[in-house]
C-alpha cells in the first residue's frame, strides 16, 4: 500500500525495518525526515545500504544531509494526506475565497502557532500546522459577497479571524463555522492592522483588542479610518481632527505599542513617511524613504518595534516603528551590500517572519534567510533549489525552522493535500561555502523571558541575564529599550565564575525606571509622566554573527502603568466595634453585622478603660468603623498594600465623600491657610452625577498650588477639601453621634497610575445634645430666678406683719369666701353647658347622608 494512502501513521512508532518497507519503492512524499529520528541519526545513515540511503533521502541528497532536518529537493517533498482511504461525498458550499494578489502568504496566529491561514489561489485555515488535508475556505451565499477576494486577514483570538473581502470586513469563527458581517464600517476598506499581545492578563488583552480598518491609497485628509477596541466585534469612525494636518496617500495606520504611538504611513511624491499622533513624537516624523508602489506592512510579533515593508520588487525593514526605514544588508561571498530586489532582478513570491527572523522565496527559485535586530538587518541566500511554484509559500513554525508549503489538489477528493519541506536553518548555515563566522556566544539566558513586568509610577525594576561567551571570544552585550521616551535603565556587567572548561561566566544586572526619574534627558524628550506607556527591553550581543540562529535575544514587555496588585486600606488599630460605644440598633438597621463574644483590651485604643468582656459587632464589608471623637481634628491613616504586603503609609493627595449624604463635618483648612495659588477644586464641581463619585480622580484633579490663570483664587475662605500631600488638612466632625461611610480616592496624579480607592466607615462619639438656649443666658436667668425667690422668701413674711399686709390678707380671704357660691351658680353653669355643647357639635364631622336621601345642601 503506498505510504501516501496510509491514514494517520506515525513513523516514530514504527520499527526501522517496517519503515524501510513503507518508504522504499513508493516514490514521492513518503518520509517525514524530521519526525523519523531513527532514520536521520548519523549512525543510521552510515550503516544502511547506499542504495537504500538514496531511497531514504529521495535520491538527490548527499548522505551527510540525512543528519537532522535537511534542505529538501523538489519534487521530493513530504506530502500530508489524511482521511482519504474511502471516497468522501463532501461537497463545497458557498463562494470559494482567494487572495487578491498574485503572491502567497501564510498568516499565523502569533499567540497560538498551530493556527494559521494560507492565502493564495485557494484559502485554507489550519489548527494543526497543515498536518491534515483541508477543504478550501468558502463564504456562504447568504453573505452576498460580489467578489470573494481577500485583501487582508488578521487573527483576533484562538477561534476568530477577520477578513477584508471585497472591501467589507467579515469575522469568521472557524471553531463553530460562523460568519458575521462586522458593524460600523460604512465605506470600503482594504486592510486591517493590529498588534496581538500574547501575555496573560487584562492589560495584554486590551492591546490585542485595538484594531484599525482603512483603505490603502486613500487621500488624506478625507479618507475614513475605523477603529475597534473590542477585538473587531464592531468598529467606529476615528476622529479625524488630530489628522487634519496630514496630507498624502494613506499607506497604513498602525498601533505601535512598543513605542506607545499610533503611526500613520503617508505617501507623497514617491516618498513614504511615518507620522505619529502621541506626545512627544506628534511634532516629528520618521525619515522619508522611497515608496514607488503599494507596500504591505508587517508588524512583527512580541511588540519589539520591528516592521517589514514589502512587495514583489521591494523589501524594506525598520527596527524602531518606522522612524528609520532601510534596506536589508545582503551578505554574499564575504561582502555586505544593500539588497535592492529590483536591481537584482528578483521577484518576491512569499515572505515569512517571526520576532527576530525573516525569509523570503523568489520566483527565481532562490530562498533567502535573514535576522532582524536593533544592531542590523542581515540576509543571506540559502540555496538555488527548485522550491518555487505559484502555490508555494514559506513560513516559520519555530526559531530557525523554516517550512516551504505547497497545497496539492486531489482529483478524487475536494480536500487539498500539502507538500512540505522543513529547512533547519542552523544546519544550512554551517555550509562552508557561505563563509559565515561561528557564533561568538555559547549561552545567553534570563528569567525575564516569556514574562511581562509592570513599573508603576515611582517604582523600579531589577532584571538580570547570564552570558557565557565562546572560548577565546569577547562579545559585547547590549541592552536596548524600544521606547526610551518612557523607560530608562542602567546596566552593569560583572564576571562571577567559570564553567567546567574554564570559560568565563558573566552576569548582566539591569535596573529600570521611568525616564523622568533618571534625570538624564531633556524634558521635551520624555513622555508625559501622567500617562501610561509601554516599552520592550531586549538583551542581545552587539557583534553577534548571523550563524547565531539558536541564540535568540532575550526580550520582554514592560508596562509603565498601573500595578493591579496594589490597593489602599484605611488603617484601623482595633479589630472589632464595642457595643458599649456603638448603638446596636443603628448598626443592625444600616449594615450587616454578626455578633460574637471575645475578650478585648480597651487600653490598646485611646487609653480609655472599658469592660474586659464586651459584645462586638463586626462589619462584614467595611470592617469596624473607626472611633473618632467628634470635636477632635482627625484624618485617616492610609496604607498602600501590594501583593498582600504593606508597602508604605501613603502620603499622596486624596479626597473623601460621605456616601449617605451626611455633611455634618468640615475641614480644618481653607484655601488661604492651605497656601493655594489658584481656586481649589471641591466636591460641588463633581456632584452633577452623584452615582459616580469617581469623577474626581487623578485624571481630573488640578492642584491649587500651581498658578492657573483660568481659575484664579477668588474665594480664599472656601473649604480646602483635599487631604494628604503637602498640607496637614484634617476632618472636624460636628455635634452628631453615629456612623459615617466614606468613599476615598487618590487624586494625586504623580503617585500611581492606578485608580486607588476604598470605602471605610467612621463612628463619631462623645457629642452632647445641642442646647436650645445660649449657656450664658441660661445661667444668668437661673441665677436671677434663684436670687428673686430667695428675696421673696425673706420679704413676704416681713410684709405680712405690717398694716398693709393685713389688708391684703383680708382681701384674699373675702375672695376665697365668695368663690364657692359663684362657681355653684345655676345660671353660670347653664351658660357653660350651652357653650360647651355648641363647641362640641361644631367640632364634630358632618354626618354621612343615608342612601337614597338627598343631602341637605343648604345646611
Amino acid at each position: 500500500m503506498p505510504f501516501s494512502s496510509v491514514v494517520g501513521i506515525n513513523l516514530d512508532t514504527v520499527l526501522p525495518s517496517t519503515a524501510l518497507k513503507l518508504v522504499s519503492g513508493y516514490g514521492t512524499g513518503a518520509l517525514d525526515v524530521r519526525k523519523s529520528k531513527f532514520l536521520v541519526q548519523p549512525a543510521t545513515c552510515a550503516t544502511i545500504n547506499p542504495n537504500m540511503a538514496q531511497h531514504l533521502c529521495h535520491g538527490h541528497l548527499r548522505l551527510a544531509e540525512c543528519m537532522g532536518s535537511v534542505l529538501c529537493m523538489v519534487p521530493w517533498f513530504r506530502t500530508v494526506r489524511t482521511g482519504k482511504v474511502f471516497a468522501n461525498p463532501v461537497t463545497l458550499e458557498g463562494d470559494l475565497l482567494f487572495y487578491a494578489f498574485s503572491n502567497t502568504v501564510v498568516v499565523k496566529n502569533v499567540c497560538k502557532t498551530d493556527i494559521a491561514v494560507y492565502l493564495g489561489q485557494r484559502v485554507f485555515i489550519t489548527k494543526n500546522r497543515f498536518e491534515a488535508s483541508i477543504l478550501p475556505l468558502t463564504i456562504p451565499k447568504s453573505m452576498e459577497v460580489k467578489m470573494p477576494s481577500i485583501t487582508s486577514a488578521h487573527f483576533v483570538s484562538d477561534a476568530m479571524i477577520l477578513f477584508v473581502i471585497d472591501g467589507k470586513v467579515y469575522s469568521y469563527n472557524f471553531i463553530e463555522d460562523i460568519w458575521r458581517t462586522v458593524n460600523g464600517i460604512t465605506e470600503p476598506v482594504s486592510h486591517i492592522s493590529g498588534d496581538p499581545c500574547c501575555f496573560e492578563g487584562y492589560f495584554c488583552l486590551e492591546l490585542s483588542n485595538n484594531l484599525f480598518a482603512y483603505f490603502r491609497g486613500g487621500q488624506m485628509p478625507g479618507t475614513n479610518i475605523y477603529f475597534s477596541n473590542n477585538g473587531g466585534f464592531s468598529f467606529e469612525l476615528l476622529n479625524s481632527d488630530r489628522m487634519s494636518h496630514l496630507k498624502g496617500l494613506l499607506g497604513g495606520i498602525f498601533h505601535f505599542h512598543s513605542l506607545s504611538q499610533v503611526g500613520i504611513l503617508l505617501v507623497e511624491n514617491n516618498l513614504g513617511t511615518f507620522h505619529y499622533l502621541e506626545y512627544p513624537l506628534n511634532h516629528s516624523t520618521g525619515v522619508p524613504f522611497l515608496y514607488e508602489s503599494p507596500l504591505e506592512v508587517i508588524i512583527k510579533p512580541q511588540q519589539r518595534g520591528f516592521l517589514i515593508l514589502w512587495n514583489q520588487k521591494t523589501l524594506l525593514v525598520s527596527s524602531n516603528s518606522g522612524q528609520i526605514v532601510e534596506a536589508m544588508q545582503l551578505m554574499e561571498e564575504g561582502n555586505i551590500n544593500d539588497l535592492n530586489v529590483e536591481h537584482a532582478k528578483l521577484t518576491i513570491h512569499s515572505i515569512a517572519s517571526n520576532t527576530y527572523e525573516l525569509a523570503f522565496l523568489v520566483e527565481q527559485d532562490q530562498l533567502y534567510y535573514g535576522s532582524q535586530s536593533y544592531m542590523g538587518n542581515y540576509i543571506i541566500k540559502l540555496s538555488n533549489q527548485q522550491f518555487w511554484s505559484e502555490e508555494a509559500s514559506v513560513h516559520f513554525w519555530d526559531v530557525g525552522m523554516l517550512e516551504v508549503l505547497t497545497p496539492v489538489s486531489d482529483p478524487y477528493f475536494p480536500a487539498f493535500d500539502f507538500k512540505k519541506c522543513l529547512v533547519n536553518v542552523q544546519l544550512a548555515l554551517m555550509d562552508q561555502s557561505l563563509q559565515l563566522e561561528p557564533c561568538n556566544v555559547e549561552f545567553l539566558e534570563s528569567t525575564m523571558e516569556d514574562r511581562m513586568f509592570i513599573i508603576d509610577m515611582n517604582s523600579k525594576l531589577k532584571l538580570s541575564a547570564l552570558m557565557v561567551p565562546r572560548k577565546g571570544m569577547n562579545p559585547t552585550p547590549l541592552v536596548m529599550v524600544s521606547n526610551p521616551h518612557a523607560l530608562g535603565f542602567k546596566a552593569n556587567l560583572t564576571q562571577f565564575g567559570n564553567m567546567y572548561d574554564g570559560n568565563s561566566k558573566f552576569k548582566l544586572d539591569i535596573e529600570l525606571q521611568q525616564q523622568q526619574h533618571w534625570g538624564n534627558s531633556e524634558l521635551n524628550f520624555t513622555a508625559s509622566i501622567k500617562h501610561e506607556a509601554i516599552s520592550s527591553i531586549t538583551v542581545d550581543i552587539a557583534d553577534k554573527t548571523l550563524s547565531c540562529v539558536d541564540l535568540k535575544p532575550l526580550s520582554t514587555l514592560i508596562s509603565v502603568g498601573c500595578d493591579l496588585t496594589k490597593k489602599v486600606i484605611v488603617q484601623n488599630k482595633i479589630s472589632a466595634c464595642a457595643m458599649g460605644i456603638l448603638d446596636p440598633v443603628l448598626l443592625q438597621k444600616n449594615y450587616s453585622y454578626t455578633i460574637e463574644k471575645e475578650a478585648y483590651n480597651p487600653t490598646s485604643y485611646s487609653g480609655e478603660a472599658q469592660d474586659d468582656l464586651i459584645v462586638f459587632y463586626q462589619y462584614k464589608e467595611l470592617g469596624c468603623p473607626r472611633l473618632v471623637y467628634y470635636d477632635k481634628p482627625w484624618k485617616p491613616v492610609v496604607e498602600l498594600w501590594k501583593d498582600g504586603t504593606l508597602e508604605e503609609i501613603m502620603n499622596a493627595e486624596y479626597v473623601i465623600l460621605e456616601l449617605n449624604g451626611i455633611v455634618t463635618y468640615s475641614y480644618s483648612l481653607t484655601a488661604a491657610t492651605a497656601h493655594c495659588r489658584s481656586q481649589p477644586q471641591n466636591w460641588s464641581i463633581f456632584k452633577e452625577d452623584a452615582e459616580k463619585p469617581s469623577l474626581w480622580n487623578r485624571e481630573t484633579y488640578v492642584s491649587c498650588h500651581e498658578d492657573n490663570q483660568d481659575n484664579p483664587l477668588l474665594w480664599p475662605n472656601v473649604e480646602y477639601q483635599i487631604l494628604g500631600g503637602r498640607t496637614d488638612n484634617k476632618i472636624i466632625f460636628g455635634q452628631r453621634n453615629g456612623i459615617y461611610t466614606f468613599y476615598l480616592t487618590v487624586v494625586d496624579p504623580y503617585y500611581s497610575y492606578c485608580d486607588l480607592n476604598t470605602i471605610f466607615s467612621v463612628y463619631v462619639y462623645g457629642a452632647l445634645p445641642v442646647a436650645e438656649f445660649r449657656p450664658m443666658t441660661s445661667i444668668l436667668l437661673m441665677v436671677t430666678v434663684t436670687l428673686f425667690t430667695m428675696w421673696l422668701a425673706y420679704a413676704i413674711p416681713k410684709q405680712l406683719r405690717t398694716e398693709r399686709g393685713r389688708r391684703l390678707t383680708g382681701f384674699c380671704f373675702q375672695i376665697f369666701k365668695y368663690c364657692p357660691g359663684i362657681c355653684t351658680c345655676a345660671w353660670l353653669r347653664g351658660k357653660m353647658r350651652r357653650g360647651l355643647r355648641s363647641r362640641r357639635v361644631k367640632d364634630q364631622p358632618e354626618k354621612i347622608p343615608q342612601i337614597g336621601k338627598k343631602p341637605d345642601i343648604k345646611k
Side-chain angles (χ1 to χ4, degrees):
M1 179 174 62
F3 179 78
S4 60
S5 297
V6 177
V7 179
I9 193 167
N10 185 351
L11 289 183
D12 289 336
T13 61
V14 181
L15 294 174
S17 58
T18 306
L20 294 179
K21 292 179 182 179
L22 288 172
V23 173
S24 58
Y26 288 108
T28 63
L31 178 61
D32 182 346
V33 182
R34 187 188 186 199
K35 286 188 176 180
S36 306
K37 296 182 175 63
F38 61 88
L39 294 177
V40 298
Q41 301 270 341
T44 305
C45 284
T47 56
I48 60 177
N49 185 283
N51 293 328
M52 187 61 67
Q54 292 294 321
H55 285 291
L56 293 177
C57 295
H58 304 303
H60 287 267
L61 301 177
R62 296 189 301 272
L63 193 62
E65 289 177 323
C66 285
M67 296 183 293
S69 299
V70 294
L71 208 59
C72 298
M73 307 284 290
V74 176
W76 309 108
F77 283 87
R78 174 175 74 95
T79 301
V80 174
R81 190 167 189 260
T82 62
K84 296 184 177 182
V85 176
F86 304 103
N88 193 337
V90 174
T91 58
L92 296 176
E93 297 181 356
D95 297 322
L96 278 170
L97 293 170
F98 63 92
Y99 194 38
F101 307 104
S102 59
N103 56 286
T104 63
V105 63
V106 172
V107 179
K108 293 176 55 180
N109 185 328
V110 296
C111 298
K112 196 172 182 64
T113 56
D114 288 348
I115 301 174
V117 59
Y118 168 91
L119 301 176
Q121 295 179 9
R122 296 289 187 272
V123 177
F124 304 96
I125 289 183
T126 181
K127 292 175 282 187
N128 60 357
R129 302 189 177 190
F130 298 101
E131 287 294 323
S133 298
I134 305 174
L135 290 170
L137 187 62
T138 61
I139 186 168
K141 295 284 187 181
S142 59
M143 306 308 292
E144 298 180 352
V145 176
K146 295 180 181 179
M147 181 64 68
S149 62
I150 296 176
T151 55
S152 182
H154 181 81
F155 282 100
V156 292
S157 70
D158 295 347
M160 193 170 75
I161 184 172
L162 297 179
F163 289 113
V164 178
I165 304 174
D166 195 26
K168 297 181 180 180
V169 180
Y170 299 86
S171 67
Y172 176 54
N173 188 318
F174 48 86
I175 301 298
E176 300 179 0
D177 191 24
I178 297 176
W179 286 89
R180 188 177 66 87
T181 303
V182 174
N183 297 325
I185 298 179
T186 58
E187 298 290 335
V189 297
S190 63
H191 286 74
I192 295 175
S193 68
D195 190 7
C197 181
C198 301
F199 296 101
E200 294 183 358
Y202 174 78
F203 170 77
C204 219
L205 178 62
E206 188 176 4
L207 299 186
S208 300
N209 284 340
N210 293 327
L211 304 173
F212 286 117
Y214 59 93
F215 182 79
R216 187 177 65 186
Q219 183 68 46
M220 294 289 292
T223 297
N224 286 343
I225 297 175
Y226 303 90
F227 78 97
S228 173
N229 58 7
N230 55 18
F233 283 97
S234 63
F235 282 81
E236 297 179 12
L237 188 64
L238 186 65
N239 188 352
S240 59
D241 293 342
R242 299 172 63 190
M243 301 178 291
S244 59
H245 65 287
L246 302 177
K247 296 181 180 180
L249 299 180
L250 180 63
I253 181 169
F254 314 95
H255 282 285
F256 294 142
H257 295 309
S258 61
L259 199 58
S260 295
Q261 290 286 339
V262 171
I264 300 178
L265 174 58
L266 291 181
V267 183
E268 193 172 18
N269 298 326
N270 290 336
L271 290 178
T273 308
F274 278 94
H275 299 253
Y276 305 94
L277 300 185
E278 306 298 331
Y279 180 86
L281 297 183
N282 54 335
H283 297 298
S284 61
T285 63
V287 178
F289 58 94
L290 188 63
Y291 191 110
E292 295 180 329
S293 56
L295 297 175
E296 296 290 334
V297 180
I298 299 174
I299 301 178
K300 302 189 77 174
Q302 305 300 325
Q303 290 78 40
R304 306 298 181 252
F306 295 148
L307 305 178
I308 299 176
L309 299 87
W310 75 285
N311 58 27
Q312 290 185 316
K313 294 296 182 181
T314 306
L315 178 62
L316 301 172
V317 292
S318 175
S319 301
N320 45 33
S321 300
Q323 295 179 83
I324 298 177
V325 179
E326 56 190 355
M328 294 289 295
Q329 300 290 302
L330 177 63
M331 304 178 66
E332 191 172 22
E333 298 179 354
N335 299 319
I336 300 178
N337 300 298
D338 287 348
L339 173 63
N340 191 313
V341 177
E342 188 173 12
H343 289 178
K345 297 181 179 179
L346 300 175
T347 302
I348 300 177
H349 181 68
S350 182
I351 194 165
S353 66
N354 57 22
T355 306
Y356 299 105
E357 299 175 290
L358 65 87
F360 61 88
L361 176 66
V362 300
E363 293 181 3
Q364 290 73 21
D365 283 335
Q366 295 173 2
L367 183 63
Y368 288 81
Y369 169 83
S371 66
Q372 190 173 2
S373 69
Y374 295 111
M375 296 303 297
N377 306 283
Y378 301 98
I379 200 161
I380 193 169
K381 183 172 68 175
L382 285 183
S383 71
N384 286 314
Q385 313 296 343
Q386 296 179 1
F387 285 117
W388 181 82
S389 70
E390 289 186 356
E391 297 283 340
S393 185
V394 291
H395 58 100
F396 286 99
W397 278 128
D398 203 349
V399 175
M401 292 296 177
L402 182 64
E403 185 174 76
V404 182
L405 177 75
T406 307
V408 181
S409 62
D410 192 318
Y412 303 105
F413 298 91
F416 278 60
D417 305 324
F418 294 94
K419 289 196 302 182
K420 305 175 72 174
C421 177
L422 188 67
V423 178
N424 187 329
V425 177
Q426 183 74 78
L427 184 63
L429 293 179
M430 293 173 62
D431 191 337
Q432 295 181 357
S433 64
L434 298 179
Q435 301 180 16
L436 292 179
E437 296 181 3
C439 187
N440 54 351
V441 178
E442 292 185 357
F443 186 78
L444 183 64
E445 189 178 66
S446 174
T447 56
M448 71 180 184
E449 277 287 277
D450 300 323
R451 295 179 59 191
M452 187 185 73
F453 297 89
I454 299 175
I455 298 179
D456 200 353
M457 198 177 294
N458 305 308
S459 299
K460 294 183 179 181
L461 176 65
K462 293 183 178 180
L463 302 174
S464 62
L466 175 65
M467 182 190 73
V468 178
R470 186 184 179 93
K471 202 165 186 179
M473 297 290 185
N474 189 25
T476 303
L478 190 66
V479 181
M480 297 152 288
V481 292
S482 63
N483 188 2
H485 307 283
L487 187 63
F489 70 92
K490 65 178 181 180
N492 184 36
L493 183 67
T494 56
Q495 182 178 353
F496 75 109
N498 297 289
M499 304 293 288
Y500 290 112
D501 59 357
N503 204 358
S504 299
K505 295 190 297 183
F506 293 90
K507 183 181 180 182
L508 182 65
D509 293 305
I510 308 167
E511 183 177 342
L512 300 108
Q513 64 177 344
Q514 284 181 274
Q515 190 68 267
Q516 289 266 4
H517 298 310
W518 284 112
N520 300 326
S521 303
E522 295 182 1
L523 186 61
N524 59 358
F525 175 82
T526 57
S528 174
I529 194 172
K530 287 187 177 182
H531 298 98
E532 297 175 318
I534 306 169
S535 178
S536 64
I537 178 172
T538 302
V539 177
D540 203 357
I541 307 301
D543 49 356
K544 185 175 66 175
T545 64
L546 187 61
S547 59
C548 298
V549 176
D550 293 336
L551 193 83
K552 64 178 182 178
L554 306 174
S555 188
T556 189
L557 193 64
I558 307 291
S559 167
V560 182
C562 172
D563 187 347
L564 295 177
T565 63
K566 286 185 176 181
K567 64 178 181 178
V568 290
I569 298 176
V570 177
Q571 185 187 82
N572 181 20
K573 293 183 179 180
I574 60 175
S575 61
C577 319
M579 188 185 69
I581 297 175
L582 302 184
D583 182 355
V585 177
L586 176 63
L587 297 182
Q588 292 184 5
K589 179 180 179 182
N590 294 319
Y591 306 105
S592 176
Y593 284 80
T594 57
I595 303 176
E596 61 181 8
K597 222 174 187 181
E598 58 182 56
Y600 171 67
N601 182 6
T603 60
S604 64
Y605 181 77
S606 73
E608 296 179 3
Q610 302 287 342
D611 295 334
D612 291 336
L613 188 64
I614 53 180
V615 179
F616 295 95
Y617 288 85
Q618 182 65 40
Y619 187 21
K620 288 182 178 179
E621 296 180 2
L622 307 180
C624 270
R626 282 78 187 156
L627 301 180
V628 178
Y629 189 72
Y630 87 99
D631 201 25
K632 183 178 180 181
W634 169 85
K635 71 176 180 180
V637 178
V638 187
E639 302 171 337
L640 178 67
W641 290 70
K642 179 181 177 181
D643 286 325
T645 303
L646 177 63
E647 286 276 298
E648 62 181 6
I649 302 298
M650 192 188 75
N651 193 32
E653 293 175 305
Y654 61 93
V655 294
I656 62 174
L657 176 67
E658 214 292 320
L659 295 179
N660 297 315
I662 303 174
V663 292
T664 55
Y665 61 92
S666 60
Y667 296 84
S668 61
L669 296 182
T670 63
T673 56
H675 305 292
C676 287
R677 293 154 59 183
S678 59
Q679 197 67 39
Q681 293 175 316
N682 54 49
W683 277 110
S684 62
I685 302 174
F686 299 96
K687 279 188 176 180
E688 294 180 2
D689 191 347
E691 295 182 357
K692 296 181 179 179
S694 60
L695 286 176
W696 197 0
N697 51 38
R698 60 177 300 272
E699 297 290 339
T700 58
Y701 173 69
V702 178
S703 175
C704 73
H705 297 99
E706 300 174 0
D707 292 326
N708 188 346
Q709 296 180 356
D710 297 331
N711 191 27
L713 182 59
L714 301 178
W715 300 281
N717 294 325
V718 72
E719 280 188 343
Y720 181 69
Q721 297 183 353
I722 295 95
L723 301 171
R726 67 183 72 184
T727 67
D728 192 28
N729 197 17
K730 294 182 179 180
I731 297 293
I732 301 175
F733 290 98
Q735 201 166 16
R736 173 190 177 274
N737 291 334
I739 290 180
Y740 295 77
T741 303
F742 287 106
Y743 170 84
L744 180 150
T745 181
V746 179
V747 296
D748 193 334
Y750 302 105
Y751 183 71
S752 172
Y753 288 107
C754 300
D755 291 326
L756 298 173
N757 53 71
T758 187
I759 296 177
F760 67 98
S761 57
V762 172
Y763 185 84
V764 177
Y765 68 99
L768 296 175
V770 179
E772 295 183 4
F773 302 100
R774 294 182 180 180
M776 291 301 298
T777 303
S778 301
I779 293 173
L780 289 175
L781 181 61
M782 291 177 62
V783 170
T784 302
V785 171
T786 302
L787 293 176
F788 181 71
T789 304
M790 292 175 63
W791 178 81
L792 290 177
Y794 167 77
I796 290 174
K798 184 177 180 181
Q799 289 295 327
L800 291 177
R801 291 193 290 269
T802 64
E803 183 179 357
R804 181 182 298 177
R806 290 175 180 172
R807 287 198 300 267
L808 179 63
T809 303
F811 176 75
C812 293
F813 176 77
Q814 293 295 328
I815 291 175
F816 284 106
K817 179 180 179 181
Y818 294 102
C819 182
I822 295 174
C823 293
T824 58
C825 179
W827 176 82
L828 181 60
R829 286 200 302 270
K831 287 289 187 182
M832 291 180 66
R833 290 194 193 99
R834 284 194 295 272
L836 290 175
R837 181 164 56 259
S838 61
R839 178 175 300 176
R840 186 165 53 247
V841 172
K842 184 177 180 181
D843 292 342
Q844 287 180 350
E846 294 182 359
K847 295 183 179 180
I848 301 175
Q850 296 181 6
I851 299 175
K853 290 186 177 182
K854 185 177 180 180
D856 190 356
I857 300 176
K858 295 181 179 181
K859 200 172 184 179

